Amino acid sequence: MSMERDLFITEVALRDGSHAIAHQFTVEQVTRVARALGEAHVPYIEVSHGDGLGGSSLQYGLSRTNEMELIEAAVSVSGESKVAVLVLPGIGTVRELKEAAKLGVKMARIATHVTEADVSAQHIQTARELGLETVGFLMMAHMAPVEKLVEQAALMESCGAETVYIVDSAGALLPHQVRERVRALRQRLRVHVGFHGHNNLSLAMANTLAAIEEGATRIDGSMRCLGAGAGNTQTEVLVAVLEKLGIKTGIDVYKLMDAAEEIVAPILAAPQEITRDSLVLGYAGVYSSFLLHARRAAQTFSLDSRDILMEVGRRKVVGGQEDMIVDIAAELARQKTGAAVNQEERYG
Ligand SMILES: CC[C@H](O)CC(=O)C(=O)O
Ligand SMILES: [Mn+2]
């Protein structure tokens, strides 16, 4: 069945949501979610470790289930919806990309830090050769000035990307900043522009609407905000809002609401909300996927996770440097002990 769509939504709960549940998805959960998304006619369903193909590791967190098994399960039940994978060059290899393509994946999203698009060339070219729809995904978009973002997006386009996403990984962008970024990309690029938001400052929906008003036609969301940090733009809410605006997504909003409520909500240990530490991600401009790492480090070193995240933001730590979170926590703990000893020596 062909759907009339003004824009194309990618549901990322089965990939971005992996961060929120420490990469513990089971085949059964993925099967149920992917089947429901297929029945609701969601065009793209992203499945992989939270950090993309090959992400399962001590550095990023070990997956409970091999992601290829999860991808295979999603492909087998998703009907006309297409399964997408995320790949971060340096973490995911061309070999894994080929394996995913063999399993029936139809879209590859090649993700780099916003200033490092040059490392995406080989993966973008391979994805095109494999016949996959190919997306460039510029993460931590708040960390670069607009001109730099445009330059990097143009580089991805020249490598063969058919869409370039502005990725607000930290949920730190404000609506006017999203607007100016989408506008600048639309002026310079010939390919589609996408937007991926995080809700740490409660702006994911506002930012997504700003992006759409400026002409972004590839949009991400996660049901029940099942994504890193405070999660992404809530897909079932977004689809309802777009329907009220007269923007066609081709998605059955009622079926999506049911999937969110009956299948996704039970996966979460607690409903996604903006907690004090997820708020700090947006406030300090920190990668949303760092949240659970910071919470664990806070527990180990008896610290406030906000202090760790603020320092991570100050030092501009980026994806791939997760080990720095523990280093920073250890340093803060040493400073705290040192300060307590000084206090003790001074005042007894
Ligand atoms: C670590 C990959 C990351 O989760 C990709 C993404 O969704 C983002 O940067 O927001
Ligand atoms: Mn994300």
Side-chain angles (χ1 to χ4, degrees), residues 66-135:
N66 181 318
E67 64 194 335
M68 295 300 169
E69 277 179 49
L70 301 180
I71 290 167
E72 195 171 14
V75 169
S76 72
V77 295
S78 53
E80 291 186 14
S81 300
K82 295 174 178 167
V83 173
V85 290
L86 186 79
V87 192
L88 277 69
I91 301 178
T93 63
V94 160
R95 189 177 55 76
E96 280 145 347
L97 194 53
K98 288 183 177 164
E99 199 178 336
K102 254 196 204 144
L103 293 176
V105 157
K106 300 286 185 224
M107 180 194 270
R109 308 208 300 172
I110 314 300
T112 74
H113 184 67
V114 63
T115 54
E116 288 170 12
D118 57 328
V119 302
S120 67
Q122 188 199 12
H123 288 68
I124 289 179
Q125 281 153 18
T126 305
R128 290 297 300 268
E129 282 159 22
L130 290 167
L132 303 176
E133 289 178 48
T134 306
V135 174

Side-chain angles (χ1 to χ4, degrees), residues 15-16 167 169 196-198 228 232:
R15 197 280 304 164
D16 214 311
V167 182
S169 313
H196 171 105
H198 278 270
N232 309 93

